Amino acid sequence: MSLTDIRYDAVMGRWEPDARGRLLQAAFELYVERGFEETTVAEIAAKARLTERTFFRHFTDKREVLFAGASDLQALLVNLVLNAPAALTPMATVRAAFIEAAAFFGEQPEFARQRQRIILSSTELQERELIKLATLASAMGGALRERGVKEPGASLAAEAGVTAFRIAFDRWANGPTQRELAGVMDDVFIQLRSITSET
Amino acid sequence: MSLTDIRYDAVMGRWEPDARGRLLQAAFELYVERGFEETTVAEIAAKARLTERTFFRHFTDKREVLFAGASDLQALLVNLVLNAPAALTPMATVRAAFIEAAAFFGEQPEFARQRQRIILSSTELQERELIKLATLASAMGGALRERGVKEPGASLAAEAGVTAFRIAFDRWANGPTQRELAGVMDDVFIQLRSITSET
DNA sequence: GCACCTGATGTCGCTCACTGACATCAGGTA
DNA sequence: TACCTGATGTCAGTGAGCGACATCAGGTGC
């Protein structure tokens, strides 16, 4: 018996609770079972015992469901940058932030991997992921600027960090399960330094 | 009298020539005049004296019109990487390729800037641009691998190069007109090296 | 207890991007 | 002359996404 089989009981309020959560779960399950493009918003809504219109009140579009955690991750990383020891260089700040944030995914590695598989299956979703990462880089660049880093250094450090993160994440998501994300990221950041310093 | 006012003459073949070119121009003009999101594919087709269906035979979607040159740019950059002097390091190879390719845009700076303005006005278009750049990075990474560069160095060099290119391009497109793109790129690549090497 | 308000959901009708199937027909080819 | 080909047109969809209005349980003020 899965969670969606829990039936609604007349004792409760006017509506079955947690509409957003039900939509999240219904969408994720359907994206896994049938694929993203083959899944219709009407199907997601039906599975969550809601209407299509309600889906669009909770998520601006069909893709956003998969990026519900993005703003939390961004807030976390921005805070890590803002609160990093003042002595750190921009690049070290960004790197430390990402390595600490690795726990964000480490908690549910299976979920993270499955989500990544879905995203890889659809160009539309990859586009959305890229713009989320670009927004993230922009926010981290802003945080660096608040620490007094000038342009274009702030943007470059943030963008380079996001790039390293992305490559590390891909390797981790598709590589052997036992490897820790933080460790992969560490390697990639080291490689980034060595590759960019050779002129 | 603009180019679109040239009238079709009964002397010619069954169809007015260069449907694709007419669609390109009609779309660009409408995107500039009315904005991307406010422009309808039907309007573009009408302006080009074609039907909506024909638009979709030439372009997979409404956004692709603005990225018609992307594959040429990619081919150019990949070739520059493949044919670079063997002695160059990966990062120097990528950097040289981008600086040479700067001429690609330098030829029509006004067009490039206007196009960039359109893209900046729409999230959808930014998404598409990001995935084009990601594809470009992937292709350049492949070219580096053919030169014997190992992973993740190849991907990192390509991605870092694309990042520098993107930041330089933004600065160039929004900055003072007289500045040369190649010069801006040179600066940004130098900054990238210095920022990533501080640990 | 009653009237009122609020906010989450439902209903309806619409626009527009995009697609598949089939029709048309000028120009080249056998 | 008969046929074929390829670019275009026509038509009838599907599905995402949105605006406007209706519903109604639960809280609030009195």
Side-chain angles (χ1 to χ4, degrees):
Chain A
M1 175 170 159
S2 90
L3 285 180
T4 50
D5 288 318
I6 294 175
R7 282 286 151 240
Y8 182 50
D9 197 286
V11 151
M12 316 169 80
R14 179 171 184 186
W15 293 291
E16 189 176 353
D18 194 19
R20 184 186 160 92
R22 274 147 56 210
L23 287 168
L24 271 171
Q25 189 177 345
F28 195 85
E29 289 177 12
L30 285 172
Y31 292 170
V32 169
E33 290 167 18
R34 296 193 204 165
F36 172 78
E37 281 160 12
E38 291 69 36
T39 300
T40 232
V41 174
E43 291 170 344
I44 299 170
K47 183 160 188 164
R49 281 147 279 138
L50 291 164
T51 61
E52 204 177 330
R53 195 67 184 86
T54 298
F55 176 94
F56 287 113
R57 289 200 180 95
H58 286 276
F59 303 97
T60 61
D61 61 51
K62 196 184 161 188
R63 311 180 217 171
E64 275 297 306
V65 184
L66 285 171
F67 300 90
S71 64
D72 287 350
L73 175 62
Q74 175 168 321
L76 171 62
L77 282 164
V78 165
N79 277 328
L80 286 171
V81 167
L82 291 176
N83 300 324
L88 290 185
T89 64
M91 204 60 213
T93 306
V94 169
R95 173 181 173 166
F98 273 115
I99 287 176
E100 267 197 69
F104 188 92
F105 299 96
E107 306 214 350
Q108 312 193 0
E110 249 342 286
F111 173 79
R113 284 176 210 262
Q114 200 161 31
R115 175 178 167 281
Q116 203 59 14
R117 244 176 278 132
I118 300 173
I119 291 175
L120 263 183
S121 76
S122 150
T123 316
E124 273 183 82
L125 288 173
Q126 289 168 52
E127 289 186 341
R128 181 57 52 87
E129 165 140 290
L130 289 171
I131 207 170
K132 291 289 179 188
L133 289 172
T135 307
L136 173 60
S138 171
M140 292 180 79
L144 285 175
R145 259 175 269 125
E146 282 196 34
R147 287 169 61 91
V149 182
K150 300 297 176 204
E151 286 295 2
S155 292
L156 280 168
E159 295 278 358
V162 168
T163 296
F165 165 70
R166 180 157 45 87
I167 290 180
F169 189 84
D170 284 354
R171 306 199 120 207
W172 172 77
N174 301 314
T177 312
Q178 52 279 23
R179 192 82 196 280
E180 282 284 352
L181 175 55
V184 181
M185 287 200 341
D186 220 52
D187 288 355
V188 173
F189 270 96
I190 289 172
Q191 294 267 354
L192 173 64
R193 183 177 44 177
S194 81
I195 204 97
T196 50
S197 61
E198 308 165 352
T199 293
Chain B
M1 176 170 161
S2 91
L3 285 179
T4 49
D5 288 317
I6 293 175
R7 281 288 153 241
Y8 182 49
D9 197 287
V11 150
M12 315 168 83
R14 179 174 185 183
W15 292 290
E16 189 177 354
D18 194 21
R20 184 185 160 91
R22 274 146 56 210
L23 287 168
L24 271 170
Q25 189 178 345
F28 195 84
E29 289 178 10
L30 286 171
Y31 292 170
V32 169
E33 290 167 18
R34 296 192 203 167
F36 173 78
E37 282 161 9
E38 292 69 36
T39 299
T40 229
V41 175
E43 291 171 343
I44 299 170
K47 182 160 187 163
R49 280 145 279 140
L50 291 164
T51 61
E52 204 177 330
R53 194 66 182 86
T54 298
F55 176 94
F56 286 112
R57 288 199 181 96
H58 286 276
F59 302 97
T60 61
D61 62 50
K62 196 185 161 188
R63 311 180 220 172
E64 274 299 304
V65 185
L66 284 171
F67 299 90
S71 64
D72 287 351
L73 176 62
Q74 176 167 321
L76 172 62
L77 282 164
V78 165
N79 278 328
L80 286 171
V81 167
L82 291 176
N83 300 323
L88 290 185
T89 63
M91 204 58 213
T93 307
V94 169
R95 174 181 175 167
F98 274 113
I99 287 175
E100 267 199 68
F104 188 93
F105 299 96
E107 306 213 352
Q108 311 193 0
E110 247 345 284
F111 173 79
R113 285 175 208 261
Q114 200 160 33
R115 176 178 166 281
Q116 203 60 15
R117 244 175 279 134
I118 300 173
I119 291 175
L120 263 183
S121 76
S122 149
T123 317
E124 274 183 81
L125 288 173
Q126 290 169 49
E127 288 186 342
R128 180 58 54 85
E129 165 141 287
L130 288 171
I131 208 170
K132 292 288 180 187
L133 288 171
T135 308
L136 173 60
S138 170
M140 291 179 81
L144 285 174
R145 259 174 268 124
E146 283 195 33
R147 287 169 63 92
V149 182
K150 300 297 177 206
E151 287 294 2
S155 291
L156 280 168
E159 296 277 359
V162 168
T163 296
F165 165 69
R166 181 158 45 88
I167 290 180
F169 190 84
D170 284 353
R171 305 199 120 209
W172 173 77
N174 301 315
T177 312
Q178 51 279 21
R179 191 83 195 278
E180 283 284 351
L181 176 55
V184 180
M185 287 199 344
D186 219 52
D187 288 356
V188 172
F189 271 97
I190 290 173
Q191 294 266 354
L192 173 64
R193 181 176 42 171
S194 79
I195 204 98
T196 50
S197 60
E198 306 165 353
T199 293

